[in-house]
Structures are given as structure tokens and as C-alpha cells.
Amino acid sequence: METTLIILKPDAVQRGLMGRVISRFEDKGLQIVGMKMMTISKELAAKHYESHHGKPFYNGLVSFMTSSPVLVMAIRGMGAITVSRKMMGATFGSKAEPGTIRGDFGVSSSFNLIHGSDSPEAAERELGLFFAKGEVQEFKRAGEVWVYDMSGGKPE
Ligand code: IDP
Ligand code: MG
């Protein structure tokens, strides 16, 4: 099982899209194990986006991400990182396929609604930036046995 960091960016919160985006992750069968609203500080945004430092869009990205509250989620499931990235769609709303979150809800390149970790290493690092120890929950879902085929002893 993987856990990934998802951020519903300021545009998603301001546009009232949180519920619909959360529902997509729940509908998919992924488990939400952490969730909180926060306003990201400049320091935290700089750490989170350190790999983009120096790029032409970096300053705008940090201003955007710190401009208004976001919803931060920890989402767990088999292949949760890749599954979530597929659900998000391509980076630019104008290029993202219909059926994806970015493809269905936006057209902008920078205001693209959602962040998702892109690798297990990034997920671990980013979860550590946004959630303190103990804030990510460990719990068995009652319906888990109908989300995954457990007949072989492990989730399929
Ligand atoms: P990702 O969010 O799909 O992983 P990254 O390339 O990691 O995309 O870029 C991080 C964020 O920076 C994007 O989600 C988007 O908000 C912003 N961004 C990336 N490239 C551009 C650009 O060329 N113009 C404006 N904003 C950009
Ligand atoms: Mg990225």
C-alpha cells in the first residue's frame, strides 16, 4: 500500500470544487487517511517546490500556493501515487484529458487545481512536510474486502 500527498490548491478551494474532487478519490476506492485545511507559508511552499527553484514559473507558483487556503490530504491505496497522478491528468488544464480532474475542471496552466506526489520518495518527503507524526490515520475500512480481491491473501 502506498500513501500519497494530494493538495487541493487555492483555486480548487475558492471555486468550491473540494467536495467533487474528494468524491472522485473516494469513488475510486482510495482511502483518505489524512485531511486538513491550511494556508501554506512561503517557507513551506519553498521546501515543497524546491526542485522547481529557479524555473521561470517558480515565483508565481509560490505566490499562488500561499495566496489562499488549500486542502491537504494523505491518500492511501495500491499504487496510490500513480493512480492519483492519472486521475489528476496532465499539468496544464488545456492539455489534460477529459475525465481527469484537471481536464474536467480547468483550462489554466498555473491554476491547475491539484498537486499529487510523483514518486514514492516525493510522497514520503511531502507527507513529512505537511503532516506531523500521528496526523495520518491508520484504520481498516469496513468495506475494504470489496475494494480489493483478497482471495489470494494479499490485495489484488
Ligand atoms: P505537476 O503539478 O503536474 O507535477 P510540475 O511540472 O511539477 O507539474 O509543476 C508544478 C506546478 O507548477 C504545476 O502544477 C503548475 O501549477 C506550475 N507550473 C508548471 N509548469 C508551469 C508553466 O510552464 N507555467 C505556469 N505554471 C507552471
Ligand atoms: Mg510535480
Side-chain angles (χ1 to χ4, degrees), residues 35-100:
M35 186 185 286
K36 63 179 165 188
M37 283 188 86
M38 64 185 292
T39 301
I40 299 179
S41 67
K42 296 269 177 216
E43 294 70 33
L44 180 56
K47 273 190 209 153
H48 176 63
Y49 282 123
E50 70 183 12
S51 65
H52 293 305
H53 202 111
K55 293 184 184 169
F57 59 85
Y58 175 80
N59 288 336
L61 177 60
V62 170
S63 303
F64 166 51
M65 291 299 290
T66 58
S67 64
S68 187
V70 299
L71 181 76
V72 185
M73 293 190 280
I75 292 189
R76 185 168 298 155
M78 232 172 74
I81 296 165
T82 309
V83 169
S84 299
R85 293 282 297 186
K86 279 195 182 156
M87 290 172 65
M88 288 162 51
T91 301
F92 299 158
S94 57
K95 300 254 171 67
E97 290 290 324
T100 65

Side-chain angles (χ1 to χ4, degrees), residues 126-144:
E126 293 172 0
L127 286 163
L129 288 177
F130 286 90
F131 288 100
K133 229 179 154 51
E135 280 186 343
V136 175
Q137 305 299 309
E138 296 283 343
F139 65 102
K140 265 241 175 313
R141 283 183 297 181
E144 189 82 358

